[in-house]
Every structure is written in C-alpha cells, then in structure tokens.
C-alpha cells in the first residue's frame, strides 16, 4: 500500500510528527527553501512583469530528487512547512519542483507540534494559498531590486561589502537619527526638594515639592533651591487633601512575536535572534522523558493574541487548582489583537499548561527553560484576575509651596502572584523621576485633612535633563512594530544584519552607530529620500498585507515601487558622493616627504595618508583610531593578552587588530615580528593542525589551516568546536540561509544534521553583488 508523503521544513519537526502519525506516512524535511533567486545576478525580469527567475538551491538538489521519487509513489502529498507567508512559499516551490498532479497535493498547517495539534490539522487539509505566495514573492523581489542595485553603488562609493536593504536601512536610520538627537542634546539644570515627614503614627514618609502658589513650577538654580529650602524650614507642613481609591491592574495578553522578543530582551538579556532560535526549538519538539518528542509552545511567529477555547479551559482549571478560585475571573479575559493581525494563528502559549516549567526542567537546557518559563508564566497570568491596589494620594501645604506623597498597598495580588511585565529602562527612569505611582507597595501612615506633620529633613537635589536613550533590542523592536517597519518575523535578521555589517555596535545592550553607519545612512537618505523613510516603508508593508488578502496584485505593487526607485537610482549613480575620494586636510606632517597629511576613508574606516600619492605612499592610523595604514589597528587600544608565549622569543602573545581583522602577534614588536592567526579550537580534518580565521585580499573571511601552505584545507563556513551527534564529525560549521538566517550544520554533505536557526522567515534586505 502506497504511503502518503508529508513535507516539513526541519528534521526535528519531521521526527516529532512521524512519531504521532505512524507508518502510514513518510515525513521528510525540505531543510528550508528548496528554490531561490540565484546569488550572482539580479534574476528579476524588469522588462517583462518583474518575473523572478528561480533556481534550485545548490545543496538542495539531493533533497528535490528524493522528494520527487517519494511523490511519484505517494497517494497523497501533504505540504506542511510553517504556517506563514514564507512557509506557504516553500510549499509552493516544493510543489513546482516535484510536478505532481494538483489533486494529489494538499496544504497542512500545524499551529502546534503535539499529537492533538498534528492529528487535528491532518483532518482538514487545504490548498496552497497563492495570495500568501504572491505576498512573499513581492517582498523577495522588492528586496532583491533594492539590495542588488543599491549595494554595489555603496561598494564603489564607500566600502567593498557595504550593503543596503529596503527595511534594514530604515532601521539603521532610526538608530542614527536617535544618536544625532543625543549628540545635539544640551542638558539643562533643575532641582528637586524632598521633605522627610512624620505623622502621629508610623511610618515616616517622603513628599516631593510640586507647586508654588497653587501652580506647578520648576526650580532651575542652586540659589533658588537654597532660598526655598530656607523658607520651608520656617513653615508648618499641614495635610490639605487625602485622596483614596481602589485601582485594578489588569494582566497583559499572552505573547505575540514582537512582545516575546521585547520581554526576553528585558528579562533574559536575549537578543531577538537568540529568542527566535530557542523558541523554534520549543515549537518543533524536544525529548521530554517518557513522553518522547513533543512541541512545548505554539507557533512562534504571530501577531495575534487569540487563544483556543481548549487552552483557556485547561488554564482555568490549573489556576483554580494551584492558586484558588479567588484568582479565577468569572469569565475568561478577551484580548484585542492589532488591526492587521492574522487571527488564523494563536498567541504564543504553552501547548499544555499541564507541562509546568519545573516538571520539564530536567529535559531542557538553561536557555530553553528560561524562555519556556517566561511564555508559560505570561500565558497563565493572562487568564487570571486583576490585581487590586489601594492607592493614596496626599497633598501637603507648607506656606506658599505644595508637596505630594503617593502610597500604594497591594490589597489582592491577582496575576501579579505569577508574572509582571518588564519595563524599558528609559520608561522606568522617567516614571521614577516624575514621582509616578509605584507598582510596589509604599505605605503611608493614617492621615486626615488638617493634620500637622513633623519635618525631619529637607533634601534639595540637583538634576540635569537627560537625552533620549539609545535604542536597545527591546526598544528598537517596539519602535519598528509601532511604526510598521518590517514584520516581527524579520526583526531578528534586521538587527543582526546592521551589527554584522558594522553599521552599529552593541554596547551595554544598547545600539550605537559606527562612523560607517552614519556615512551609509547619510548617502542613502540624500540619494533616495522617498525610499529609505519610515512612512514609505510602512506603506509597503501595508501593501504586502493587501496582496495577502487578495486585494492587490503583486506585480502592480512592485511596478508602483520600481518606477520612482529607478529614477532615484540613475540619479544616485551619477551624483552620490564618493567618500573613498574625499580628503580632509590636517596639520600632521608626513615623516617621509614633509607634506601635510590628509584624512581619507578606507575599508576599515578613516586613516591618514600622504597627498603625494603615488610618489609617496605613506599611510598611518588616525591617532586614537584603528583605521588603515601600515600599522593599522595597533594604536587603537591596549592589546588583549592570550596567555600564550611567542614560539620565537618567548614573549607573551597578544591579540591585535589590522586591516584584515584580529590576529595574534608578539608583544615584543618591532624587535620580534612573529604573527599568527587566532585558532578556533577546531583541528584541521585534513592534517590535524589548528583551524583559524583568515582573509582574502579583498577582505572576505575564510577559514584555513595553520599549516598552510603545506596543508591547503579551506572553508567559507566558520567551524564550531562541537561534535555532530549523528555522524560524529569532530566539528560543525556556521552557515547562513536567506530564509532562516544563521544556523549550525554538519559539514558532511551526506549527513544533513542541522541545529534549527532562529528562523527568520523573510530576507530582510540583500547584500550586494554576490
């Protein structure tokens, strides 16, 4: 009897699904996309309706051959990649390649990888949604048109390898513009005065000055603060108003993709990329003791807060059993999704709240457990009663000046017994500064109007207004979502791309643009003012949604975009500033010929060069910077110790940076000029030497053997010191796909082992050229 074929994306998901469905089905993994636009050319027929020219991805030929063979003998073919645009496109590409009759092909959507979720989905298969395919295709073509035509331009004018992306460059612009706001900010002095007071009953408390002659005012100078403090010491502090009220604090909805990324950044310090990587693992299935492989959370790419009735009922039963009836609302809370949310998906939730974090902790690694606990706690809390707080506000008059004290006591913790949403640091700082009502308990003594209070201490304090904060992962994700730039499934790739391209640096969890980031942003905004702006990018996202809903044709959207883009492109090719040729005069004398050196821009930033080139080829780093030149990078900062000794002179080896990246060098330079690449901790599979990162003449990284030229082993993929669990290869490699972003895989092509990536579902911009 012929077996039905099920095609999913990953081996992990295939393994879990196969366990649930048994021998009647053959479950195979496509390992992501099977077709894509070729890397070495534009591959979009602009003159004939923007038709994309797809080809089978180089290392997927074997996968396609196997799927074709299985499809011929299968009675039915179920295409079950992830339930989103990118998954729909994968299903369509697989169907196009296997060329099976249409009545044999079905589309299946697995919102959760559990026995119930899989068997229920298999009962109601559908057909490939071509509107979703068209929306994905439009995004892919738009990104290719921008990336493959603007990036080479940046390569010529700024730096080889510089890239632009339809969405990534707008995200970079946000970071750059915020940095310029910070740089332009002028702090202003102001003062606060706090009064430590006591009533007849404890506890003592703090009140802050707020009004003068009944109106809000500011204390701007030290002299003004001293004058007011001296006046207040002679005044009686009398209670003028007591306002008591009960406040309900409601739980937040279960996670959407963007909210999960924000909260994991705040509470777990996870990057968006790491959050999606771990969430993918939890979704696709992990071995949970006797239960075997099971998906622990629902699909993690969603903008919906909808929850199934079965999940709500299970949560309500657990709340009653674990916390008591007081914590259970009479009716389940109902949360409203965003206007554009795809309600076919659920929120991110545990597939069963019965799998409590402590019950599965022995089967998860630290990151998996931390993220699962966060998702589990938030979902269960979302189904609980609100917290009840007794709020007290007290106005106090002291002569001309009015003070305010706020107190709050948690009367009933409700959902707070389990979960409280984190806050962005800048929001928390602002609320503290403004004396906002605290979410923690702050007790005030019993007070009545007319009570005379004892003044224990007056504390004037100097402050300065603060610039807007730098973007963190959490706040940038929030900003992108609020402005409609990209989609939550693309945020991780956007942020990792602008870091990897060295447009921004991540310091203390905050993004700071590099000089390269400033330059690229300025050039793009000058040359493409209508393309790389927030409003236009958000409008394009709306139009992609319209295509998915069947209300627009994808070719019309691309044509509407391309006509003005082409005009700007032609103009930019002629008029964009050539940063490589720009020179800034200095008073620094060239030690070789005596001319005044100039500042130029190279592949590693600014450097000093002699204007007498080619007669004089002297270059050197700009003081205080790495840059280019004969000794580039050696003056930028104190070299990092390695703990190793120089094999020639015995001096300590240190890590330095040069035009081709970091390397190990003898600390006795220039007396000893020994250098060597930094080993990766992986032995060469060919000769047993050390593998290390090297660079081509063009600056592109590759990985080679320390015994070169005796050993010619080389790889474009970065080796990882970890044994393959399937074929026992002594190392794995870092790879990259446009669908999933970076991931780790076995270098043995016959093995196919792959550790699931963060799973970016669309390409967030293209690198130029190849």
């Amino acid at each position: 009897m012929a077996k039905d074929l099920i095609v999913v994306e990953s081996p992990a998901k295939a393994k879990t699904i196969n366990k649930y469905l048994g021998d009647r089905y053959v479950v195979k993994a496509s390992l992501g996309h099977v077709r894509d636009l070729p890397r070495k050319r534009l591959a979009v027929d602009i003159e004939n309706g923007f038709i994309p020219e797809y080809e089978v991805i180089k290392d997927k030929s074997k996968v396609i051959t196997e799927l074709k063979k299985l499809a011929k003998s299968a009675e039915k073919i179920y295409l079950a990649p992830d339930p989103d645009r990118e998954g729909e496109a994968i299903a369509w590409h697989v169907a196009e390649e296997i060329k099976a009759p249409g009545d044999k092909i079905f589309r299946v959507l697995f919102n959760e990888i559990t026995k119930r979720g899989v068997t229920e989905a298999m009962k109601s298969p559908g057909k490939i949604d071509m509107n979703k395919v068209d929306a994905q295709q439009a995004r892919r073509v738009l990104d290719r048109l921008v990336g493959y035509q603007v990036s080479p331009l940046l390569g010529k004018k700024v730096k080889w390898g510089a890239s632009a992306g339809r969405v990534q460059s707008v995200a970079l612009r946000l970071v750059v513009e915020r940095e310029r706001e910070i740089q332009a900010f002028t702090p202003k002095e102001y003062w606060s005065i706090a009064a430590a007071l006591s009533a007849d009953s404890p506890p003592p408390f703090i009140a802050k000055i707020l009004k003068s002659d009944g109106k809000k005012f500011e204390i701007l100078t030290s002299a003004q603060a001293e004058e007011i403090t001296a006046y207040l010491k002679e005044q009686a502090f009398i209670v003028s108003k007591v306002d008591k009220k009960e406040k309900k604090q409601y739980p937040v909805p279960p996670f959407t993709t963007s909210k999960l990324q924000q909260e994991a950044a705040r509470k777990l310090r996870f990057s968006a990329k790491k959050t999606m990587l771990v969430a993918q693992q939890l979704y696709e299935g992990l071995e949970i003791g006797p239960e075997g492989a099971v998906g622990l959370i629902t699909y993690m790419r969603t903008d919906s807060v909808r929850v199934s009735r079965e999940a709500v009922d299970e949560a309500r039963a657990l709340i009653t059993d674990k916390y008591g009836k007081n914590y259970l609302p009479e009716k389940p809370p109902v949360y409203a999704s965003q206007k554009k949310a795809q309600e076919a998906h659920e929120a991110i939730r545990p597939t069963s709240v019965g799998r409590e974090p402590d019950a599965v902790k022995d089967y998860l690694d630290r990151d998996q457990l931390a993220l699962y606990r966060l998702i589990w706690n938030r979902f269960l809390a979302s189904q609980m009663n609100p917290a009840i707080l007794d709020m007290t506000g007290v106005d106090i008059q002291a002569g001309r000046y009015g003070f305010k004290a706020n107190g709050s006591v948690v009367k009933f913790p409700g959902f707070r017994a389990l979960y409280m949403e984190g806050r962005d640091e800048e929001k928390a700082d602002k609320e503290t500064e403004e004396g906002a009502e605290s979410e923690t308990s702050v007790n005030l003594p019993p007070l009545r109007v007319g009570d005379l209070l004892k003044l224990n201490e007056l504390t004037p304090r100097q402050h300065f207004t603060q610039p807007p904060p730098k973007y963190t992962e959490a706040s940038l994700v929030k900003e992108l979502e609020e402005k409609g730039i990209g989609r939550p499934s693309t945020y991780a790739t956007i942020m990792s791309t602008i870091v990897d391209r060295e447009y921004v640096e991540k310091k203390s969890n905050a993004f700071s643009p590099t000089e390269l980031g400033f330059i690229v942003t300025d050039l793009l905004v000058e040359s493409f003012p209508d393309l790389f702006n927030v409003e236009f990018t958000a409008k394009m996202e709306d139009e992609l949604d319209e295509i998915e809903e069947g209300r627009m044709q994808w070719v019309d959207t691309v044509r509407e975009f391309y006509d003005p883009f082409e005009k700007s492109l032609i103009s930019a090719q002629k008029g964009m500033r050539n940063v490589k040729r720009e020179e800034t005069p200095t008073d620094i004398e060239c030690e070789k010929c005596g001319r005044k050196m100039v500042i130029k821009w190279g592949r590693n930033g600014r450097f000093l060069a002699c204007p007498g080139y080619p007669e004089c080829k002297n270059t050197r780093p700009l003081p205080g910077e790495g840059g280019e030149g004969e000794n580039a990078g050696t003056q930028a900062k104190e070299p990092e110790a390695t703990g190793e000794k120089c094999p020639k002179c015995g001096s300590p080896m240190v890590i330095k940076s040069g035009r081709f990246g970091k390397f190990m060098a003898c600390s006795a330079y220039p007396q000893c000029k020994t250098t060597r690449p930094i080993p990766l901790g992986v032995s060469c599979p060919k000769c047993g030497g050390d593998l290390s990162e090297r660079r081509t003449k063009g600056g592109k990284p590759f990985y080679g053997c320390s015994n070169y030229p005796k050993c010619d082993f080389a790889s474009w993929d970065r080796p990882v010191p970890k044994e393959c669990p399937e074929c026992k290869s002594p190392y794995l490699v870092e790879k990259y796909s446009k669908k999933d972003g970076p991931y780790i895989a076995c270098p043995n092509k016959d093995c196919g082992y792959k550790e699931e990536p963060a799973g970016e579902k669309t390409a967030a911009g293209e690198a130029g050229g190849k």
Side-chain angles (χ1 to χ4, degrees):
M1 179 179 174
K3 293 185 177 183
D4 291 342
L5 173 64
I6 300 176
V7 182
V8 295
E9 287 174 89
S10 77
K13 194 195 296 187
K15 180 180 177 183
T16 309
I17 291 170
N18 199 59
K19 182 189 79 166
Y20 295 139
L21 296 181
D23 294 339
R24 181 188 159 189
Y25 299 90
V26 176
V27 187
K28 289 293 178 181
S30 70
L31 304 176
H33 273 284
V34 295
R35 296 198 311 181
D36 199 3
L37 300 173
R39 293 179 61 118
K40 294 185 178 180
R41 53 194 175 87
L42 185 64
V44 176
D45 191 345
I46 296 171
E47 303 300 324
N48 296 293
F50 300 95
I51 302 302
E53 302 168 23
Y54 296 112
E55 66 179 21
V56 174
I57 297 170
K58 188 176 180 181
D59 60 353
K60 295 299 175 65
S61 298
K62 186 177 176 181
V63 173
I64 288 295
T65 300
E66 183 182 20
L67 291 179
K68 283 182 177 179
K69 183 179 178 181
L70 292 168
K72 281 184 180 180
S73 59
E75 186 176 331
K76 293 179 181 177
I77 301 163
Y78 298 94
L79 303 177
D82 289 346
D84 56 13
R85 279 182 198 164
E86 206 72 13
E88 209 72 26
I90 292 173
W92 177 69
H93 284 301
V94 170
E96 289 288 294
E97 284 299 315
I98 62 177
K99 302 187 187 311
D103 58 359
K104 282 180 61 174
I105 296 177
F106 299 90
R107 176 77 167 109
V108 179
L109 305 176
F110 296 133
N111 186 56
E112 58 182 70
I113 310 301
T114 60
K115 186 168 185 177
R116 182 187 64 188
V118 169
T119 53
E120 287 298 315
M122 290 298 293
K123 290 177 184 177
S124 54
K127 292 294 182 179
I128 294 173
D129 185 342
M130 288 308 299
N131 289 333
K132 277 188 177 179
V133 174
D134 287 346
Q136 187 275 344
Q137 193 160 236
R139 181 189 293 277
R140 190 76 186 91
V141 169
L142 288 169
D143 288 346
R144 176 57 66 103
L145 290 172
V146 173
Y148 269 47
Q149 295 186 92
V150 179
S151 296
L153 189 58
L154 290 177
K156 292 176 184 177
K157 306 288 187 179
V158 184
K159 173 184 176 181
W160 183 91
S163 75
R166 186 181 58 85
V167 180
Q168 89 183 33
S169 298
V170 179
L172 172 62
R173 181 177 179 178
L174 290 176
V175 177
V176 167
E177 289 180 347
R178 174 62 60 87
E179 190 70 20
R180 286 200 163 120
E181 286 180 58
I182 295 169
Q183 292 172 350
F185 182 82
T186 303
K188 293 182 179 178
E189 180 185 11
Y190 70 99
W191 287 72
S192 67
I193 299 176
L197 303 168
S198 298
D200 292 337
S201 301
F205 63 99
I206 302 293
K208 293 184 177 180
I209 197 166
L210 197 64
K211 294 181 179 180
S212 174
D213 295 325
K215 296 179 180 179
K216 285 190 176 183
F217 80 118
E218 290 183 321
I219 305 172
L220 300 178
T221 65
S222 171
Q224 189 183 0
E226 288 175 5
E227 181 183 339
I228 294 171
T229 301
Y231 171 83
L232 289 170
K233 287 179 179 178
E234 306 299 324
Q235 305 304 312
F237 283 71
I238 300 170
V239 175
S240 59
K241 182 180 178 183
V242 178
D243 183 20
K244 294 184 177 181
K245 61 183 178 180
E246 186 179 270
K247 176 186 174 184
K248 286 187 177 181
Q249 184 183 8
Y250 290 90
V252 288
F255 281 126
T256 59
T257 302
S258 64
K259 291 293 188 287
L260 176 63
Q261 291 173 350
Q262 292 171 50
E263 192 73 338
R266 295 185 195 112
K267 290 192 170 182
L268 306 179
R269 298 299 183 189
F270 282 9
S271 66
K273 183 167 75 172
K274 181 174 181 177
T275 297
M276 298 308 289
L277 167 63
V278 178
Q280 184 96 25
Q281 295 165 354
L282 296 174
Y283 164 69
E284 292 193 336
L286 297 166
E287 293 287 336
I288 307 297
E291 191 176 3
V294 62
L296 293 178
I297 65 170
T298 53
Y299 190 55
M300 65 286 164
R301 293 183 189 88
T302 177
D303 50 10
S304 169
V305 294
R306 184 184 70 82
V307 177
S308 72
R309 183 73 220 187
E310 294 80 8
V312 169
D313 290 343
E314 187 185 21
R316 289 175 66 83
L318 183 65
I319 291 167
T320 303
D321 181 58
K322 194 176 178 72
Y323 293 93
K325 291 185 178 179
N326 288 344
Y327 287 82
L328 187 71
E330 185 178 337
K331 294 181 179 179
V334 177
Y335 298 102
S337 296
Q338 292 182 353
K339 195 173 180 181
K340 302 168 189 173
Q342 298 179 357
E343 289 296 326
H345 291 169
E346 285 191 60
I348 303 169
R349 61 167 176 83
T351 52
S352 171
V353 290
R355 297 187 192 93
E356 296 187 34
D358 286 341
V360 299
K361 66 180 181 181
D362 292 340
Y363 309 108
L364 308 182
D365 66 29
R366 184 177 64 181
D367 292 340
Q368 291 166 347
L369 178 60
L371 193 65
Y372 181 63
R373 192 184 297 278
L374 192 68
I375 293 168
W376 192 93
N377 286 352
R378 172 123 167 182
F379 171 64
L380 199 65
S382 75
Q383 303 304 310
M384 296 171 79
N385 261 326
I388 299 175
L389 288 75
D390 282 336
M391 312 297 299
T392 304
V394 179
D395 292 350
I396 300 158
Q397 199 65 32
R400 294 171 49 204
Y401 296 100
F403 284 72
K404 182 78 173 182
N406 290 312
S408 66
V409 176
V410 179
K411 186 176 179 180
F412 173 68
F415 75 94
R416 291 169 54 141
L418 181 60
Y419 177 83
M420 282 284 290
E421 185 174 44
R423 294 184 294 173
D424 294 324
E425 291 171 10
E426 58 267 29
K427 182 179 178 183
D429 290 345
K430 185 178 180 182
E431 289 181 356
T432 300
E433 206 170 90
E434 294 178 352
E437 293 176 347
S438 173
E439 291 187 348
T440 56
S441 292
V442 178
N443 286 308
L444 293 178
L447 294 170
R448 292 177 298 179
V449 173
D451 282 354
L452 178 64
L453 304 173
K454 179 185 176 184
L455 175 63
N456 299 316
E457 186 180 8
L458 279 170
T459 306
R461 183 169 290 143
Q462 184 186 39
H463 306 270
F464 291 92
T465 54
Q466 295 298 308
K470 292 176 182 286
Y471 282 114
T472 62
E473 287 249 356
S475 60
L476 185 55
V477 166
K478 184 178 180 181
E479 188 80 355
L480 293 172
E481 182 180 37
E482 289 179 351
K483 293 186 179 299
I485 300 169
R487 284 295 176 259
S489 59
T490 68
Y491 295 159
T493 291
I494 290 169
M495 284 183 279
S496 64
T497 299
I498 61 177
V499 172
D500 292 344
R501 295 289 178 189
E502 298 179 351
Y503 294 155
V504 303
E505 295 176 325
K506 199 173 175 184
K507 299 177 180 177
S508 302
N509 204 40
F511 292 117
S512 297
T514 61
E515 186 174 15
L516 178 62
F518 279 114
I519 290 172
V520 167
T521 297
D522 289 345
L523 292 179
L524 292 177
V525 172
E526 288 167 9
S527 300
F528 302 90
D530 296 327
L531 172 59
F532 295 110
N533 74 48
V534 169
E535 293 76 16
F536 180 81
T537 306
K539 176 176 174 288
M540 292 305 302
E541 293 297 337
D542 290 341
E543 291 192 7
L544 292 174
D545 291 340
E546 293 286 301
I547 294 168
E548 182 170 338
E549 296 297 323
R551 292 193 286 265
M552 290 187 73
Q553 296 297 312
W554 78 268
V555 174
D556 294 341
T557 298
V558 174
R559 183 177 292 110
E560 179 187 345
F561 162 85
Y562 191 76
D563 289 346
F565 167 69
E566 185 180 33
K567 293 176 183 176
S568 296
L569 182 65
I570 293 169
S571 175
Q573 288 168 340
K574 297 176 182 177
M576 182 181 280
R577 287 191 299 127
N578 192 325
V579 178
K580 289 180 178 179
R581 294 183 180 178
E582 292 179 349
E583 297 181 352
T584 304
T586 74
D587 292 328
I588 300 173
E589 196 171 276
C590 173
E591 64 271 28
K592 292 187 177 180
C593 72
R595 295 181 178 92
K596 298 294 185 183
M597 299 191 82
V598 296
I599 298 172
K600 299 190 72 171
W601 177 265
R603 68 181 54 157
N604 290 312
R606 298 188 303 164
F607 66 101
L608 287 168
C610 181
Y613 182 88
E615 291 84 12
C616 179
K617 298 179 180 179
N618 185 29
T619 64
R620 68 186 199 207
L622 200 60
E625 299 190 20
E628 302 239 340
E630 293 172 353
N631 302 307
T634 58
Q635 296 177 208
K637 59 181 180 180
E638 191 70 24
E640 181 183 340
T642 66
E644 295 189 27
K645 299 289 185 183
C646 174
K648 289 187 178 179
C649 73
S651 299
M653 296 288 284
V654 294
I655 294 176
K656 293 187 175 183
S657 296
R659 65 189 303 167
F660 296 121
K662 292 185 177 182
F663 62 96
M664 292 176 67
C666 181
S667 58
Y669 179 87
Q671 288 77 21
C672 178
K673 299 182 179 180
T674 300
T675 63
R676 55 179 279 210
I678 299 172
L680 299 172
V682 177
S683 297
C684 174
K686 204 167 183 179
C687 74
D690 293 326
L691 295 186
S692 57
E693 180 177 329
R694 306 175 73 88
R695 300 254 173 171
T696 65
K697 289 183 178 179
K700 185 176 180 181
F702 71 96
Y703 305 91
C705 181
S706 58
N707 291 329
Y708 178 84
K710 291 181 181 179
C711 177
D712 61 358
F713 174 83
S715 169
W716 292 117
D717 300 322
R718 183 183 182 88
V720 177
K722 183 177 179 181
E723 184 181 87
C724 175
E726 293 189 4
C727 74
K728 303 305 178 185
S729 165
Y731 70 99
L732 300 175
V733 293
E734 292 180 359
K735 297 182 77 69
Y736 180 88
S737 76
K738 287 188 173 64
K739 169 190 172 288
D740 293 322
Y743 63 94
I744 294 174
C746 181
N748 184 351
K749 293 182 180 179
D750 295 329
C751 174
Y753 174 76
K754 174 181 172 184
E755 291 185 4
E756 283 309 302
E760 278 320 303
K761 307 309 290 182
T762 60
E766 293 273 1
K770 58 180 181 179

